């Protein structure tokens, strides 16, 4: 049942770890909060237009050198693996999708609430080894998510199920944290099932200016996700850059991952303060998956990082997360 060593399952088939290249570990093509289809007043989802825009975005990223795009959309977050497979075919981008569920307050917990942990783990394993539904498209990683400050009983069960499935299949775990809290709880829950902390990226750990929180995660061996570049509502990119540099100076370059948590198309109405996703995007002009290459890396190099360190962060670290080597 274990994944073949050193290969990564993309939506169009296995790819050698050495061929992942520059990898964005946390970006999204489609996102829809549970129930988005019920909102008859939301702008309609136009598949063909969205596909055309998505292909353009993938080509733009390829021009920046990106070879692999990881979309850790949870099952209950508007995931559409056939859309991703078509996009990969049209653009040539390696795309990895995930199995797994969102945190209790914002996911569809009812479906999973009554299932025991073992059965949730079996569902995840099925999506990794056989594919999602009848599509044959296999998940290459598992998404976990916890809410703010406290991990609920439901989230504990779901994270433990994810860790069991990761242990059984050899795929990594990509997490969502809320307000950069509960990262240590995630490490505790994942390692309790025998998964090494270096197969987990604690996502959205850049949602705080607290270097010591980030450093604590790195010291325990987990990857630290600075994966919301461009989302400048609560934390500025300047703070993120300073914290990346500081973590590298502390000797943890090999634990850093960079991404944007960008969303190409947010179906429905994303947040209460925006009537459409276009309106939200207009509020965050830098929030594009090319930002790291155009504006952030130059600043990291200005701040003293070497090109070798940048390559470690963009190429070697994602490969090690996925292959464990
Ligand atoms: Zn995300």
């Amino acid at each position: 049942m274990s994944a073949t060593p050193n290969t990564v399952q993309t939506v169009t088939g296995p790819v050698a770890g050495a061929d992942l290249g520059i990898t964005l570990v946390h970006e999204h093509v489609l996102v829809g909060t549970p129930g988005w289809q019920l909102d008859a007043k939301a702008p309609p989802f136009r598949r063909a237009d969205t596909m055309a825009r998505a292909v353009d975005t993938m080509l733009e990223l390829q021009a920046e050198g990106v070879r692999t795009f990881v979309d850790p959309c949870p099952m209950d977050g508007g995931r559409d693996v056939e859309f991703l497979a078509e996009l990969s075919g049209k653009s040539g981008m390696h795309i990895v999708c995930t199995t797994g569920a969102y945190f209790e307050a914002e996911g569809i917990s009812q479906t999973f609430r009554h299932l025991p942990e073992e059965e949730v783990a079996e569902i995840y394993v099925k999506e990794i080894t056989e594919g999602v539904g009848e599509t044959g498209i296999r998940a290459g990683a598992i998404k976990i998510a916890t809410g703010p400050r406290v991990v609920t009983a439901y989230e504990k069960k779901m994270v433990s199920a994810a860790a069991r499935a990761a242990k059984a299949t050899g795929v990594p775990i990509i997490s969502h944290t809320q307000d950069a809290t509960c990262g240590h709880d995630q490490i505790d829950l994942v390692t309790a099932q025998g998964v090494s902390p270096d197969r987990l990226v604690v996502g959205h750990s850049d949602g705080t200016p607290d270097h010591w929180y980030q450093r604590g995660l790195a010291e325990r061996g987990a990857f630290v996700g600075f994966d919301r570049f461009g989302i400048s509502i609560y934390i500025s990119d300047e703070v993120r850059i300073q914290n990346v540099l500081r973590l590298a100076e502390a000797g943890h370059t090999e634990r850093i991952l960079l991404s944007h948590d960008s969303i190409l198309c947010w179906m429905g109405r994303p947040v209460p303060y925006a009537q459409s996703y276009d309106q939200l995007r207009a509020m965050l002009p830098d929030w594009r998956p090319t930002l790291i290459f155009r504006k952030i890396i130059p600043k990291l190099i200005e701040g003293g990082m070497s090109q070798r360190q940048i390559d470690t962060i963009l190429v070697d670290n994602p490969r090690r997360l996925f292959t464990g080597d």
Side-chain angles (χ1 to χ4, degrees):
M1 189 185 286
S2 282
T4 315
N6 295 323
T7 64
V8 179
Q9 193 62 45
T10 75
V11 291
T12 50
V15 165
D19 292 337
L20 289 183
I22 294 179
T23 299
L24 289 170
V25 292
H26 196 129
E27 310 291 344
H28 300 284
V29 177
L30 301 181
V31 160
T33 49
W36 70 270
Q37 303 96 329
L38 310 180
D39 181 358
K41 292 181 71 183
F45 170 60
R46 303 202 185 282
R47 192 179 192 280
D49 292 355
T50 306
M51 181 62 75
R53 276 201 299 125
V55 170
D56 287 346
T57 301
M58 294 301 142
L59 298 181
E60 251 189 295
L61 287 171
Q62 283 167 343
E64 301 292 346
V66 178
R67 298 277 307 281
T68 303
F69 182 102
V70 181
D71 181 346
C73 184
M75 300 155 103
D76 47 357
R79 188 184 65 169
D80 183 341
V81 299
E82 287 173 307
F83 191 97
L84 296 179
E86 187 180 330
L87 174 59
S88 177
K90 286 190 157 124
S91 65
M93 181 72 83
H94 299 316
I95 300 178
V96 178
C97 72
T98 57
T99 188
Y102 211 36
F103 66 98
E104 182 164 16
E106 295 190 15
I108 306 178
S109 51
Q110 191 55 35
T111 304
F112 284 124
R113 205 188 298 268
H114 67 280
L115 291 177
E117 186 182 310
E118 311 82 69
E119 287 199 42
V120 176
E122 284 167 20
I123 291 167
Y124 291 170
V125 168
K126 188 263 174 195
E127 291 208 333
I128 294 161
T129 57
E130 294 171 37
V132 175
E134 303 290 308
T135 64
I137 297 168
R138 291 161 59 186
I142 308 174
K143 176 69 170 280
I144 61 169
T146 52
R149 294 175 301 283
V150 175
V151 182
T152 68
Y154 168 78
E155 289 159 358
K156 277 182 189 152
K157 177 179 82 175
M158 298 303 280
V159 172
S160 297
R164 285 179 184 227
K167 177 80 181 160
T169 60
V171 303
I173 299 173
I174 298 173
S175 92
H176 169 100
T177 59
Q178 195 72 9
D179 308 332
T181 61
C182 302
H184 286 288
D185 300 283
Q186 292 185 348
I187 297 175
D188 291 342
L189 289 163
V190 163
T191 54
Q193 299 298 328
V195 175
S196 171
D198 64 3
R199 307 308 307 285
L200 164 70
V201 50
V202 180
H204 313 333
S205 298
D206 56 351
T208 174
D210 184 355
H211 163 73
W212 291 100
Y213 171 73
Q214 295 155 355
R215 188 157 164 176
L217 302 172
E219 282 170 352
R220 293 184 68 188
F223 284 99
V224 184
F226 290 84
D227 51 16
R228 282 187 153 173
F229 274 99
I231 304 183
S232 48
I233 298 173
Y234 306 108
I235 298 286
S236 73
D237 284 345
E238 277 314 313
V239 168
R240 291 190 174 94
I241 287 166
Q242 290 314 312
N243 280 348
V244 168
L245 291 169
R246 204 170 161 196
L247 195 57
E249 278 158 21
H252 296 296
T253 303
E254 296 197 338
R255 304 258 68 85
I256 297 169
L257 288 166
L258 305 183
S259 220
H260 309 82
D261 200 14
S262 68
I263 296 170
L264 187 99
C265 174
W266 200 331
M267 301 175 291
R269 284 185 283 189
V271 283
Y273 50 86
Q275 283 306 302
S276 70
Y277 182 46
D278 287 344
Q279 205 179 81
L280 178 65
R281 269 164 77 94
M283 293 159 71
L284 294 168
D286 270 347
W287 191 33
R288 303 287 184 273
T290 47
L291 175 70
I292 284 172
F293 307 97
R294 295 180 182 170
K295 293 193 181 166
I296 305 304
I297 290 169
K299 288 185 183 164
L300 290 172
I301 287 177
E302 230 175 76
M305 230 178 217
S306 66
Q307 186 58 48
R308 180 74 204 101
Q309 283 176 297
I310 300 289
D311 295 344
T312 296
I313 291 169
L314 295 178
V315 179
D316 300 341
N317 290 353
R319 187 191 67 243
R320 290 189 299 110
L321 170 70
F322 273 91
T323 65
D325 70 359

